[in-house]
Amino acid sequence: MSNEITAKAELPAQSTPESLPAGYADLLNDLKAEIRTAQIRARRVVNTEMICHYWRLGRLILDRQEREGWGAKVVQRLSTDLRTTFPSQRGLSVRSLQYMQRMAKSWPEPIVQQAVAQLPWGHITVLLDSLDDRLTRDFYAEQAVQHGWSRNVLSHMLSSQLHLRQGAAISNFDRTVPEGSDLLREITKDPYVLDFTHLGADHAERELEDALVDHVVKFLQELGVGFAFMGRQYPLQVGRQEFRMDLLFYHARLHRYVVIELKTGPAQPAHVGQLAFYIAVVNDKIRDPERDDETIGILIAADRDQEVVQYSLSGTIQPMAVSTYETLPPAMRELLPTEDDLARVTHEVLDEHRK
């Protein structure tokens, strides 16, 4: 009996949550974060090597075709022979080899140091199918890598022509925040594509606001990476009056509050003045001067007159941009009659009536 007691006494004591040393939980979390980060890095390395491998295959086929003058049918034979030799390897179909050729032609120099090498293969095929211009492809490749876009998000940004919209809003950033004007311009767009709201041509500002809040995830996606939604109809107590801003956001990367005002009509000088007032109040009553940079504003209107907007912005010291929005997808807008079409039909109807 005494030997059994001695043996039990020699067994190591089991750890309990109470016996863990101080800081153990923090160490465990740090180790988990490091392991997850290493797994992500490993996947990226594997993906980059695969994409560079595909580029090299495409380069070999393309160079030999150009040198020997071979036609497209040789790719079909190559696919058959390669799949016979490597039956378990994916990515050797005729279509895949053709994409590899197109990639090698689109990016003639080795791609290991380029953004495209960090993209999944499906993203690259979308770029090849959607764009002919190298610079535009590089823009979307860099944006997709930087912001971690999924394939669906990339397709949406392509269909909404982000490369033409990003930074296109009229702003006074060069004058009001010269040290950060480039970064601020990059977070604005013109127009904002709000087709997910499913609103028709005639809608009230409250309907637009309701739709954006109902689809806040998609709206944040359209705004871009870094925006955090703080609230709608955000109250500001100034003196004995209460004012309400349409939408308030915080940009986590730029450490700035962003006030967004929505207008379903053309942008007017009074709208710019109203937004400037909100920016000043947020700076004074909400912003933390030790943590946050100056607040900026974005006026999103259904239309704008460039000269009116430029004069309006020149009269304020608050940093802001004026943009427009569209609620109908491009394919549907193309089907709608233009003003000329409506005028022509009207004249035809009147002429027929006179007869």
Side-chain angles (χ1 to χ4, degrees):
M1 183 73 172
S2 60
N3 290 339
E4 184 179 351
I5 294 174
T6 303
K8 288 182 178 179
E10 292 174 353
L11 291 173
Q14 296 296 315
S15 296
T16 63
E18 291 76 13
S19 65
L20 294 175
Y24 175 84
D26 291 337
L27 174 60
L28 179 61
N29 288 333
D30 290 344
L31 292 175
K32 289 179 179 178
E34 172 57 31
I35 291 172
R36 292 190 182 102
T37 301
Q39 290 173 336
I40 293 172
R41 285 199 299 263
R43 286 195 292 269
R44 286 177 178 171
V45 170
V46 171
N47 178 78
T48 297
E49 177 53 37
M50 183 190 74
I51 297 303
C52 290
H53 166 63
Y54 285 172
W55 180 88
R56 290 190 293 269
L57 290 179
R59 185 79 262 167
L60 286 169
I61 298 172
L62 193 63
D63 287 346
R64 184 57 62 91
Q65 275 189 313
E66 292 177 350
R67 186 163 61 247
E68 304 294 342
W70 292 342
K73 288 186 178 180
V74 72
V75 177
Q76 298 177 356
R77 179 58 186 267
L78 285 171
S79 174
T80 300
D81 291 340
L82 288 172
R83 284 191 289 181
T84 300
T85 306
F86 305 100
S88 62
Q89 183 166 332
R90 300 174 59 186
L92 297 176
S93 67
V94 174
R95 184 172 176 80
S96 294
L97 293 180
Q98 290 172 336
Y99 273 124
M100 294 174 199
Q101 283 182 281
R102 292 174 61 189
M103 178 171 63
K105 190 172 184 178
S106 300
W107 287 277
E109 64 279 1
I111 62 172
V112 65
Q113 298 298 328
Q114 300 181 55
V116 64
Q118 301 177 52
L119 289 177
W121 179 238
H123 287 54
I124 296 174
T125 61
V126 169
L127 290 177
L128 291 172
D129 287 338
S130 304
L131 301 167
D132 296 322
D133 177 62
R134 164 70 184 275
L135 291 177
T136 309
R137 282 196 186 121
D138 284 341
F139 168 83
Y140 283 100
E142 291 164 4
Q143 292 289 314
V145 170
Q146 180 181 352
H147 302 310
W149 288 346
S150 68
R151 185 171 176 177
N152 286 339
V153 172
L154 174 61
S155 297
H156 170 74
M157 295 304 180
L158 284 164
S159 64
S160 65
Q161 296 185 306
L162 176 65
H163 64 291
L164 299 179
R165 299 187 296 119
Q166 184 166 298
I170 303 175
S171 75
N172 61 2
F173 295 148
D174 287 339
R175 177 173 57 83
T176 55
V177 279
E179 72 286 352
S181 59
D182 290 341
L183 286 175
L184 292 179
R185 271 196 302 271
E186 284 183 10
I187 71 168
T188 67
K189 299 181 177 72
D190 186 35
Y192 286 92
V193 177
L194 310 180
D195 49 5
F196 54 85
T197 61
H198 305 298
L199 294 173
D202 296 323
H203 54 268
E205 288 174 12
R206 181 53 62 91
E207 290 177 312
L208 175 60
E209 185 181 315
D210 288 342
L212 294 181
V213 173
D214 289 343
H215 300 84
V216 68
V217 173
K218 291 183 178 180
F219 186 38
L220 286 170
Q221 183 184 97
E222 173 63 13
L223 289 175
V225 174
F227 281 88
F229 180 54
M230 305 299 293
R232 63 177 295 192
Q233 291 298 303
Y234 199 95
L236 295 174
Q237 190 68 38
V238 183
R240 296 190 298 272
Q241 299 183 59
E242 183 181 80
F243 300 87
R244 291 184 175 271
M245 301 178 291
D246 287 346
L247 301 168
L248 180 64
F249 293 85
Y250 187 82
H251 200 285
R253 293 187 176 182
L254 300 181
H255 302 288
R256 296 177 184 269
Y257 283 98
V258 182
V259 181
I260 293 183
E261 282 294 297
L262 305 170
K263 301 299 176 185
T264 54
Q268 299 293 338
H271 302 154
V272 173
Q274 179 187 38
L275 182 54
F277 170 76
Y278 291 155
I279 293 171
V281 177
V282 171
N283 276 332
D284 186 54
K285 294 181 176 291
I286 299 178
R287 181 178 73 97
D288 182 346
E290 296 182 358
R291 185 189 64 183
D292 305 322
D293 286 329
E294 295 287 325
T295 303
I296 67 169
I298 304 176
L299 175 63
I300 304 179
D303 195 9
R304 70 179 186 193
D305 183 302
Q306 183 165 335
E307 189 173 6
V308 170
V309 168
Q310 287 174 336
Y311 274 114
S312 300
L313 291 176
S314 68
T316 178
I317 61 172
Q318 305 295 353
M320 66 178 73
V322 177
S323 183
T324 60
Y325 70 92
E326 296 174 349
T327 57
L328 294 175
M332 187 175 295
R333 286 197 303 273
E334 291 176 1
L335 297 176
L336 294 178
T338 65
E339 292 183 9
D340 291 339
D341 292 334
L342 293 175
R344 177 176 49 78
V345 172
T346 300
H347 287 308
E348 290 176 354
V349 171
L350 290 174
D351 290 342
E352 184 66 27
H353 179 70
R354 293 189 188 102
K355 293 178 181 179

